[in-house]
Amino acid sequence: MTSQSRFRAGLLDPAQPVPDGLCDGGGRPAGRRYDVYRNNVAVSLIEAMKTAFPLVLKLIGTQNFDRLAGIYVRDHPPSSPLMMFYGARFPDFLEGFAPLAHIGYLSDAARLDIALRQSYHAADAAPFDPEPLQKFSSEALLEATIRLAPSTRILRSCWPLHDIWVFNQSTDAEKPRSISQDILVTRVGFDPIPHALPVGGALWLETLASGVSFGEAHDIALAAHTDFDLATCLTLALSTQALAAINHKDHR
């Protein structure tokens, strides 16, 4: 009888022989059926990767992606039946894939694809109520903490990642600029959208997400980036529904 581990290993490695003892319903050797099944599994996983990483697919083309994904799915088979989360190790895989080392931003493109997918599948949340921002005293506002929406994702990049994404969505888009761009991903409606963050915006939002007070998060961002503009970052966060709730011990 064939062990599950040998059966599974052979599915993702066409170089391995058909496991011994594998028979069909009539007791005959099931080699040909196993080969068909093995091919279907690989094709299905590659198609899942195409759906999961549309930006990477657009950047390198279908033929290159098929070869790349074929290698990845053999080295990193799914560990969960939840295929919407498959490919978490793909960005790191791309960083170590020598033939594509000349496309330095490819791993960050994969991280953006993952962030968009995570945002899409994140829990719903009630729209942020900005009224406390106006009603709180200055002291209370500085002491308050702000929770980010479950669908909010923040991505750091040393590449013009937002421009790269925009350029690959439309033939009319301008070519990416030679600047680094941090990205905020939010889900206002059904589909998540990436937004280019102003200077210091990623640090500010990450600090807020860690539970630090509104005032301290501002000070940390300003200390790291002297041109950090709180008004611009807050306006972006509010307009894209990146925030979920504001809390203060004296205001429940």
Side-chain angles (χ1 to χ4, degrees):
M1 181 177 291
T2 300
S3 69
Q4 290 187 8
S5 59
R6 290 184 63 191
F7 184 90
R8 183 173 182 270
L11 283 179
L12 296 172
D13 187 356
Q16 292 194 26
V18 175
D20 294 334
L22 193 63
C23 300
D24 64 14
R28 297 179 297 270
R32 292 182 62 185
R33 291 190 178 188
Y34 183 79
D35 286 338
V36 171
Y37 184 55
R38 171 158 54 188
N39 181 68
N40 288 343
V41 169
V43 170
S44 296
L45 288 176
I46 291 172
E47 289 301 313
M49 291 287 290
K50 288 180 180 177
T51 300
F53 296 95
L55 180 55
V56 176
L57 174 62
K58 187 71 178 290
L59 289 170
I60 65 175
T62 300
Q63 191 173 29
N64 287 329
F65 192 95
D66 284 346
R67 295 196 190 102
L68 182 67
I71 298 171
Y72 178 82
V73 301
R74 287 194 292 272
D75 292 345
H76 305 284
S79 58
S80 165
L82 302 176
M83 291 304 294
M84 74 279 287
F85 301 125
Y86 182 52
R89 301 172 67 181
F90 194 47
D92 293 337
F93 171 82
L94 289 172
E95 284 187 344
F97 193 71
L100 294 177
H102 61 288
I103 311 177
Y105 51 81
L106 200 58
S107 59
D108 277 1
R111 292 185 178 94
L112 177 54
D113 280 330
I114 289 175
L116 289 166
R117 187 157 32 114
Q118 290 175 338
S119 179
Y120 180 83
H121 290 288
D124 293 331
F128 178 75
D129 180 10
E131 187 175 356
L133 295 174
Q134 302 171 344
K135 289 191 172 182
F136 280 11
S137 66
S138 298
E139 182 179 353
L141 181 58
L142 292 175
E143 294 175 346
T145 58
I146 295 181
R147 182 163 45 89
L148 303 189
S151 58
T152 297
R153 295 293 183 274
I154 303 158
L155 182 62
R156 303 283 197 106
S157 180
C158 61
W159 300 93
L161 191 56
H162 183 263
D163 286 358
I164 291 170
W165 181 84
V166 171
F167 183 74
N168 283 277
Q169 307 307 307
S170 171
T171 56
D172 298 329
E174 296 181 1
K175 289 186 178 181
R177 295 166 289 175
S178 299
I179 59 172
S180 61
Q181 289 177 318
D182 295 334
I183 286 183
L184 168 68
V185 175
T186 62
R187 193 187 68 211
V188 177
F190 294 102
D191 296 320
I193 298 175
H195 314 273
L197 277 165
V199 173
L203 176 59
W204 176 67
L205 286 168
E206 288 170 346
T207 307
L208 285 176
S210 72
V212 168
S213 70
F214 187 83
E216 188 175 352
H218 168 265
D219 293 343
I220 290 174
L222 189 61
H225 304 276
T226 56
D227 50 350
F228 170 70
D229 188 332
L230 175 61
T232 300
C233 290
L234 181 58
T235 298
L236 177 63
L238 291 173
S239 64
T240 60
Q241 297 182 19
L243 311 178
I246 184 168
N247 302 287
H248 188 275
K249 60 181 179 8
D250 296 332
H251 298 269
R252 300 294 181 182

